Amino acid sequence: MEIRLDSDFRERKVGERWIEDFDSFCRRQWDDFDFKLLDGESLREVQQRNIRALNRLLKTYGGKNIVIGTHGTALSTILHYFDSSFGYPEFNQIKNRMPWIVSFSFDGDRCTQIKTHRLF
């Protein structure tokens, strides 16, 4: 199987400084999708980058099975894009479920099904 790296599926850039209360920072980002620290990314920016990359893959590999490996925040913003009920509480729950596998089914670029899979 060929592995291709796509940096657009990378984790968000938080910023340049240490965050003491990372949980509060995450919650604030989920409450305000445009909130970001200096030199960091908002969740909206992460989501736009990830969806753009996903759409490229769907166009290139439409009708085929593909596997994408990414970080929890990146995956969560993709889930939120297709299911706006996925928010901070759901994001907070997956932190201790890694690896966490989610399968998406598409008809063209329209998501028709989302399933989550527990490994343990």
Side-chain angles (χ1 to χ4, degrees):
M1 226 181 248
E2 181 182 357
I3 297 175
R4 293 185 183 185
L5 300 179
D6 186 331
S7 64
D8 281 343
F9 287 112
R10 70 188 177 277
E11 183 59 287
R12 73 179 159 202
K13 183 176 181 192
V14 172
E16 298 298 327
R17 65 182 174 94
W18 178 257
I19 300 170
E20 286 296 325
D21 187 353
F22 197 74
D23 187 55
S24 291
F25 166 75
C26 290
R27 185 176 318 222
R28 183 162 179 200
Q29 281 207 299
W30 279 96
D31 288 343
D32 177 359
F33 240 53
D34 293 309
F35 173 74
K36 64 181 177 181
L37 300 176
L38 184 65
D39 296 324
E41 286 182 291
S42 70
L43 292 184
R44 187 173 319 282
E45 290 169 326
V46 174
Q47 183 184 64
Q48 289 170 344
R49 174 170 45 79
N50 280 276
I51 296 301
R52 194 171 46 244
L54 178 60
N55 284 332
R56 278 195 312 268
L57 290 178
L58 291 172
K59 188 177 276 189
T60 303
Y61 300 103
K64 297 181 180 176
N65 292 326
I66 59 173
V67 174
I68 300 170
T70 191
H71 292 266
T73 301
L75 176 57
S76 294
T77 65
I78 294 169
L79 281 162
H80 180 76
Y81 181 84
F82 293 111
D83 177 5
S84 62
S85 71
F86 188 97
Y88 176 77
E90 292 76 19
F91 168 76
N92 197 41
Q93 288 178 351
I94 69 162
K95 290 190 299 191
N96 297 317
R97 291 188 182 170
M98 300 298 168
W100 188 50
I101 298 173
V102 181
S103 60
F104 297 80
S105 298
F106 289 90
D107 182 5
D109 62 355
R110 187 176 66 83
C111 183
T112 58
Q113 185 177 44
I114 300 172
K115 287 184 187 177
T116 60
H117 308 273
R118 286 192 57 118
L119 294 180
F120 49 89

